Amino acid sequence: MSNKTKNVYVFGASRTDGDATMKNLLGGKGANLAEMCRLGIVVPPGLTISTEVCTVYTEHGQDAVAKLIEAEVRESVAFIEKEMGKKFGDSSDPLLLSVRSGSRASMPGMMDTILNLGLNDEAVAGLAIKANNERFAWDSYRRFIQMYGDVVMGLKPVSKEEHDPFEVVIDMLKEKKGVELDTDLTTDDLKELVQRFKGLIRARIGREFPTDPWEQLWGSVMAVFQSWNNDRAKVYRELNDIPDAWGTAVNVQAMVFGNLGDKSGTGVAFTRDAGTGEDLFNGEFLINAQGEDVVAGTRTPQQITLEGSRRWAQLAMVSEEDRRNRFPSLEELMPDIYRQLLEAETKLENHYKDMQDVEFTIQEGRLWMLQTRSGKRTGAAMVRIAMEMLRQGMIDEKEALRRVGPDRLNELLHPVFDPAAIKKARSIAHGLPASPGAATGQIVFFADEAEEWVRKGKAVILVRQETSPEDLRGMSVATGILTARGGMTSHAAVVARGMGKCCISGAGAVRVDYHARTMSVGGETYKEGDWISLDGSTGDVFEGQVPTKEAELTGDFGALMELTDKYKRLGIRANADTPDDAKVARTFGAKGIGLCRTEHMFFEGDRIKAVREMILSEDETGRRKALAKLLPMQRGDFEGLFREMSGLAVTIRLLDPPLHEFVPHDEANQKIMAHEMNVPLGVIKMRVDDLHEFNPMMGHRGCRLGITYPEITEMQTRAIIEAALNMKAKGIDVKAEIMVPLVGTVREFNAQARVIRKTADAVFAERGEKIDYMVGTMIETPRAALIADSIGQQAEFFSFGTNDLTQMAMGFSRDDAGKFLPSYLKDGMYERDPFESIDQKGVGLLVQMAVEKGRTARPGIKLGVCGEHGGDPASIGFFHRTGLDYVSCSPFRVPIARLAAAQAALDEGS
Ligand code: ADP
Ligand code: MG
Ligand code: MG
């Protein structure tokens, strides 16, 4: 540890050390505070202790930190004193400070901020005289004790049913005084609160509240470093893939006061709508309030713009008169401040070229900015903001494509409520449309119980008075979130939008009773487990389960998708087994079917009987008889697929799964089977026993079925070719690709290809006409990848079955990996689940090798992927780099794959 390295950076009007590029060192908050100062925006001066010091804290403890940075901190505090013209620790006109955490990635609400630091019994008196406002001084003092007592001294609720102990004390006093709001408490009440808080700390912690400002400061700085490792910070990092090693910076900043009376206030704002993406400046504020008051949702916040205020009033069912008198917008109330704020937000958005989420405080008619960052937003807002900024000339096409996280498109593909069903649904409450989406689930009141219920396979709506960071995990598993309190910028709203989760906040008419586990509204009571539905786009809460319908690719979403086609090189196909799936895939932009699993067709309706008859037959004659029954059904299926995919390729895989998957294993069904086939039960039982395999995934399946029972391949080929000819006759452009599964040797492929071609020729001869088709293979055994050159001489295309390839290369099956894989992932044995995202360093090499060998054997050979990995953005990047022609994924992942493919192409260019 060298004393020469700089650990502390100051920002202010006269000097700023850092800038926005220094996020790794100063954290997002610190870097952006510095950048704002550089832009000439009014920010309270402060200092930032770098993230590197957090690592020193974790490794060497607090004494090492104190020794390392003490001199720098003292110098920097002197800088703040000079800028503010006040002294830290002075008792007649004290400089007060805030201590704020801030890591590289924004972690909203993860680590607590301490405000009004530097107060004690003497300083509070000085502050009162200086501000000529005794109430303000004592309000600031009680807040400081409350925050410091919680964050640094650790006075927190001990059980989930218990409320915050400080809030309990406040509520008791309010009740005694017969008042409702914090702002109704008198100076004497606040003085009493301070005494009670100190007493509470003494009783529960066994220590006195520290009176020395420097002791307070160091205590807070260390607490921020400590909080990097608290549970909720860890949970957030885990959910958002943030490495533990990044550490947090600490910002120490001069206080400005929003609680100085009616000309003061505090608020948060977004340069665009974080829920819908609309280009509308919006936000909320509270008069005579400080810090987290707005987000905490204890008072109803007011809107910043007049437009926003009117919209809010309509949703909250507040009359225009009431709105103007009781909840006027900042635009109406303080036009001058509003204009300054508008100027600052415009400057910031133009500078960062992205939607900003800002915090501000108004102190007696003066505006101070306290934070700016790229705002969290829903998937829908992500798309709209990117496309609008593109049209507005703020960003270019490539940047617009980069702005949207492929996985976030999931939210736009979710079903929406069926408008017809909505008309009939019974609306029971109304709140703010905090985060769009349609959610239906059973009511639960506690986050940990939400997790339990979801683990049992239930869909839940988490209903809370308000949420806090402790609820994060429960929120992430719930289908929707409903809170009785809080505005559009409440914790629930911000976090839900970040997760893309449907959320309604501030449904004021809803009464939540945690003890009784009920929610009552409009004279009716709903219990834990009752079904409700939330429309996050309108704020409507409905009774029961409201039916939903599929989403569509329109507007900005459609435009973004078109843009992907301009930049991506990979083709995107879909895995689809039915005409309906094919239709969905096509509307989402799939350019063909990469995998049709024919066995899925075997389960429908009466077919399974014919399939079983075929499997349980003793000889070829019996099998052929049963297969003849299946032929017309399969042909019909293929006709439907070809019709939907006219002009596009359809890859059809021959029968793949082990036969025992089709037979009944319980006696009741075996009896029915015996009866239908007119054989004794014993015969059926024996045949089922015969089919038993110790390791079915490595057993009699794939092309091994077609090789032992060529009549199955014959029937399937006939169904495909006849369907193709029938559709061709109707003017449909059929491009059939017949695919042989699980090949390991060239002879296997050749044997099957021979049956296919012979059958096709027979059909052509019968019908007196022909059609082009291709015969190719899956590459899904490691051996196939190793000998891909000799297979490539025979096969016209390869499709990588990366699910099987992964399980065979890894040596564990997807069905059994659940026993150890979760703990493997937690311990970092694998970075990611290899069945979710392809193991690029291992299994990926097999793909790369097969691609090279295949192309050498047959230049121009068509190469694709049809495993689950075809819909995973990281894997898509890998397949792009490996030079495949296309990936195929489930219909609902097609838009995600299109965007990921475009981003992969852009990454290559950069
Ligand atoms: P978070 O990261 O959870 O948003 P912040 O550090 O931004 O926490 O602070 C919490 C609240 O306190 C915010 O509303 C912020 O604007 C306010 N705040 C922080 N520092 C100051 C300060 N120096 N003066 C006034 N308000 C402050
Ligand atoms: Mg903040
Ligand atoms: Mg397979």
Side-chain angles (χ1 to χ4, degrees):
M1 265 175 271
S2 146
N3 284 342
K4 283 188 214 100
T5 49
K6 188 173 172 62
N7 298 298
V8 181
Y9 296 72
V10 300
F11 54 89
S14 68
R15 186 186 126 201
T16 295
D17 299 338
D19 63 46
T21 63
M22 296 162 73
K23 289 205 171 69
N24 294 358
L25 199 61
L26 305 180
K29 201 178 283 170
N32 285 333
L33 282 167
E35 188 79 2
M36 283 201 284
C37 289
R38 287 179 184 271
L39 289 172
I41 287 172
V42 182
V43 171
L47 62 90
T48 305
I49 304 171
S50 85
T51 53
E52 288 172 352
V53 181
C54 187
T55 311
V56 175
Y57 178 90
T58 310
E59 285 171 10
H60 304 281
Q62 63 179 51
D63 293 346
V65 168
K67 214 172 119 204
L68 179 69
I69 62 172
E70 180 156 13
E72 278 180 89
V73 168
R74 285 197 180 266
E75 259 167 52
S76 306
V77 168
F79 164 84
I80 302 174
E81 291 175 334
K82 210 167 116 229
E83 287 248 330
M84 294 299 284
K86 291 175 195 288
K87 285 250 171 273
F88 184 57
D90 188 308
S91 48
S92 58
D93 182 14
L95 169 68
L96 302 189
L97 300 171
S98 70
V99 177
R100 325 170 64 185
S101 63
S103 66
R104 272 193 225 183
S106 89
M107 292 170 62
M110 280 307 99
M111 284 170 286
D112 292 306
T113 294
I114 292 157
L115 302 177
N116 310 326
L117 185 141
L119 282 174
N120 50 35
D121 292 350
E122 289 83 55
V124 72
L127 185 67
I129 295 168
K130 187 74 200 171
N132 195 19
N133 188 335
E134 204 184 8
R135 190 187 181 284
F136 150 74
W138 285 91
D139 183 49
S140 304
Y141 195 19
R142 72 95 187 158
R143 287 171 187 268
F144 171 49
I145 298 177
Q146 200 174 337
M147 285 182 261
Y148 195 94
D150 170 358
V151 180
V152 183
M153 303 185 84
L155 211 179
K156 293 178 191 295
V158 284
S159 74
K160 72 180 176 193
E161 279 89 5
E162 193 194 349
H163 289 279
D164 177 73
F166 292 107
E167 291 294 338
V168 172
V169 173
I170 297 176
D171 286 342
M172 271 161 49
L173 189 67
K174 279 191 201 160
E175 201 168 313
K176 190 174 131 198
K177 296 280 167 176
V179 298
E180 280 228 0
L181 299 174
D182 294 5
T183 41
D184 295 332
L185 293 173
T186 65
T187 308
D188 284 338
D189 295 338
L190 295 170
K191 286 182 180 172
E192 182 169 344
L193 270 189
V194 165
Q195 292 319 315
R196 289 196 188 187
F197 283 177
K198 284 184 178 172
L200 184 70
I201 290 172
R202 201 178 299 121
R204 299 254 303 244
I205 306 290
R207 269 189 292 139
E208 284 299 323
F209 190 82
T211 53
D212 174 33
W214 280 100
E215 187 187 339
Q216 294 169 355
L217 181 57
W218 285 112
S220 307
V221 169
M222 299 307 171
V224 172
F225 287 143
Q226 184 66 43
S227 75
W228 177 251
N229 290 312
N230 74 21
D231 284 343
R232 60 191 214 200
K234 280 188 190 157
V235 168
Y236 189 88
R237 288 206 290 278
E238 198 184 303
L239 285 173
N240 292 278
D241 289 328
I242 296 172
D244 290 348
W246 281 6
T248 179
V250 184
N251 300 288
V252 178
Q253 192 174 17
M255 279 303 302
V256 288
F257 302 99
N259 53 340
L260 258 171
D262 289 346
K263 299 227 161 3
S264 304
T266 182
V268 295
F270 295 87
T271 61
R272 298 185 186 219
D273 192 308
T276 65
E278 183 181 353
D279 187 3
L280 181 77
F281 179 47
N282 65 96
E284 296 174 331
F285 73 102
L286 280 174
I287 289 294
N288 199 9
Q290 195 177 45
E292 303 282 12
D293 289 3
V294 179
V295 239
T298 37
R299 263 199 277 159
T300 307
Q302 288 156 251
Q303 302 298 307
I304 290 176
T305 65
L306 178 56
E307 168 72 18
S309 182
R310 292 207 165 123
R311 289 190 191 184
W312 165 84
Q314 206 171 24
L315 287 168
M317 297 185 194
V318 170
S319 73
E320 171 61 14
E321 198 189 335
D322 230 19
R323 185 199 69 74
R324 218 181 313 119
N325 295 331
R326 290 174 55 213
F327 307 103
S329 64
L330 186 70
E331 189 172 353
E332 293 157 286
L333 203 61
M334 301 179 180
D336 195 47
I337 295 282
Y338 173 72
R339 198 187 38 72
Q340 289 174 40
L341 186 61
L342 198 61
E343 220 168 85
E345 71 94 16
T346 310
K347 196 180 213 174
L348 286 169
E349 187 180 277
N350 287 336
H351 180 69
Y352 286 100
K353 298 194 185 340
D354 194 8
M355 185 261 273
Q356 295 296 297
D357 163 359
V358 301
E359 291 173 2
F360 63 90
T361 281
I362 303 157
Q363 177 176 338
E364 301 198 296
R366 177 144 197 228
L367 176 70
W368 298 84
M369 299 303 283
L370 283 158
Q371 188 172 335
T372 191
R373 62 183 169 204
S374 284
K376 296 210 177 291
R377 65 203 76 178
T378 63
M382 223 173 239
V383 171
R384 177 158 176 189
I385 291 171
M387 295 313 285
E388 272 184 3
M389 287 193 161
L390 170 65
R391 285 195 292 273
Q392 291 162 348
M394 289 175 82
I395 56 175
D396 63 11
E397 288 182 350
K398 293 181 179 178
E399 182 58 23
L401 283 166
R402 287 196 172 105
R403 281 286 168 90
V404 181
D407 274 323
R408 298 299 303 272
L409 293 180
N410 242 331
E411 297 159 35
L412 285 88
L413 297 164
H414 281 171
V416 292
F417 284 128
D418 184 349
I422 281 284
K423 279 208 191 100
K424 281 185 245 149
R426 176 155 174 255
S427 168
I428 54 172
H430 201 84
L432 300 172
S435 183
T440 291
Q442 291 176 276
I443 298 175
V444 294
F445 294 101
F446 298 99
D448 54 345
E449 287 166 24
E451 286 184 67
E452 260 166 54
W453 286 47
V454 169
R455 226 174 286 130
K456 288 183 198 144
K458 298 183 180 175
V460 304
I461 305 278
L462 181 63
V463 178
R464 301 279 306 164
Q465 189 73 4
E466 61 225 344
T467 63
S468 75
E470 277 80 13
D471 300 329
L472 217 57
R473 245 196 242 270
M475 293 170 77
S476 77
V477 298
T479 3
I481 299 152
L482 171 65
T483 69
R485 284 198 197 160
M488 292 292 280
T489 52
S490 64
H491 177 267
V494 173
V495 171
R497 284 196 293 270
M499 292 176 174
K501 182 140 306 201
C502 170
C503 172
I504 296 177
S505 64
V510 171
R511 295 270 164 275
V512 179
D513 185 336
Y514 291 135
H515 285 281
R517 292 171 188 253
T518 58
M519 138 187 149
S520 44
V521 57
E524 282 194 56
T525 301
Y526 299 84
K527 299 183 304 301
E528 178 178 277
D530 286 348
W531 286 86
I532 53 171
S533 301
L534 309 181
D535 187 336
S537 316
T538 62
D540 279 309
V541 183
F542 299 99
E543 195 176 79
Q545 292 171 268
V546 179
T548 53
K549 76 177 198 24
E550 301 302 347
E552 286 165 0
L553 272 198
T554 50
D556 286 325
F557 189 14
L560 177 77
M561 284 297 111
E562 271 173 39
L563 210 52
T564 64
D565 293 338
K566 190 162 163 188
Y567 291 92
K568 72 180 173 45
R569 196 194 62 226
L570 274 177
I572 310 296
R573 294 192 189 182
N575 297 350
D577 307 332
T578 66
D580 277 348
D581 284 355
K583 199 183 219 157
V584 173
R586 203 163 185 168
T587 54
F588 284 156
K591 292 284 187 289
I593 291 180
L595 175 64
C596 163
R597 304 173 180 88
T598 50
E599 61 271 14
H600 281 193
M601 299 170 170
F602 282 13
F603 284 102
E604 251 170 62
D606 268 358
R607 303 173 182 197
I608 188 70
K609 281 190 199 154
V611 174
R612 287 172 174 172
E613 192 184 318
M614 185 249 317
I615 294 170
L616 299 175
S617 300
E618 302 239 347
D619 53 17
E620 192 185 321
T621 326
R623 278 194 297 276
R624 283 192 182 274
K625 209 176 106 207
L627 284 167
K629 292 185 197 163
L630 283 171
L631 175 69
M633 303 189 226
Q634 284 248 290
R635 189 173 54 219
D637 292 330
F638 295 139
E639 285 175 355
L641 280 181
F642 290 145
R643 193 181 311 114
E644 291 301 336
M645 283 286 146
S646 181
L648 301 173
V650 177
T651 309
I652 298 167
R653 179 180 69 185
L654 300 177
L655 190 65
D656 180 67
L659 295 181
H660 77 92
E661 284 190 12
F662 298 102
V663 297
H665 292 273
D666 58 310
E667 195 169 295
N669 278 307
Q670 288 178 349
K671 269 188 187 148
I672 299 174
M673 193 75 239
H675 179 74
E676 270 166 9
M677 286 180 68
N678 202 15
V679 292
L681 178 61
V683 172
I684 302 286
K685 279 197 164 155
M686 217 153 59
R687 224 19 218 127
V688 171
D689 284 347
D690 279 351
L691 288 171
H692 171 80
E693 289 175 318
F694 287 101
N695 201 336
M697 280 302 107
M698 301 221 202
H700 191 186
R701 56 171 290 228
C703 66
R704 296 159 203 161
L705 293 171
I707 286 174
T708 41
Y709 307 126
E711 54 276 14
I712 300 179
T713 304
E714 260 177 50
M715 183 280 283
Q716 292 199 297
T717 305
R718 179 170 278 275
I720 295 167
I721 299 295
E722 287 182 355
L725 289 174
N726 291 349
M727 288 299 102
K728 186 185 164 194
K730 294 203 167 141
I732 284 164
D733 180 10
V734 179
K735 294 187 161 61
E737 303 178 345
I738 302 176
M739 180 156 80
V740 183
L742 218 75
V743 160
T745 75
V746 184
R747 284 186 188 176
E748 279 177 315
F749 178 76
N750 285 345
Q752 286 290 284
R754 226 175 0 255
V755 175
I756 294 167
R757 295 204 189 280
K758 209 174 117 197
T759 310
D761 286 343
V763 178
F764 293 152
E766 286 163 26
R767 303 279 286 254
E769 64 176 324
K770 281 189 163 190
I771 193 165
D772 283 337
Y773 66 98
M774 290 213 276
V775 185
T777 184
M778 295 197 60
I779 301 291
E780 54 184 340
T781 68
R783 190 175 196 278
L786 296 169
I787 59 154
D789 39 1
S790 27
I791 296 180
Q793 278 161 14
Q794 309 299 326
E796 292 171 291
F797 65 87
F798 287 172
S799 177
F800 290 92
T802 50
N803 297 343
D804 268 311
L805 191 60
T806 297
Q807 61 185 356
M808 290 192 225
M810 295 293 220
F812 51 73
S813 85
R814 190 160 51 156
D815 306 318
D816 297 318
K819 296 216 173 83
F820 59 89
L821 206 50
S823 78
Y824 257 48
L825 292 171
K826 219 165 125 241
D827 297 345
M829 295 288 169
Y830 297 115
E831 262 165 51
R832 292 198 57 188
D833 179 340
F835 292 110
E836 238 169 50
S837 195
I838 193 155
D839 161 42
Q840 301 183 16
K841 293 181 189 139
V843 180
L845 295 183
L846 288 169
V847 177
Q848 278 171 347
M849 179 198 295
V851 165
E852 271 165 42
K853 287 179 181 262
R855 288 235 163 92
T856 314
R858 183 186 291 263
I861 186 171
K862 219 200 255 189
L863 303 169
V865 165
C866 63
E868 226 66 49
H869 302 98
D872 166 63
S875 308
I876 291 169
F878 173 77
F879 297 136
H880 170 93
R881 294 191 293 278
T882 308
L884 296 185
D885 297 311
Y886 70 87
V887 296
S888 187
C889 58
S890 76
F892 282 97
R893 291 201 75 85
V894 167
I896 296 165
R898 289 170 75 185
L899 180 56
Q903 290 182 349
L906 293 179
D907 285 351
E908 189 179 57
S910 64

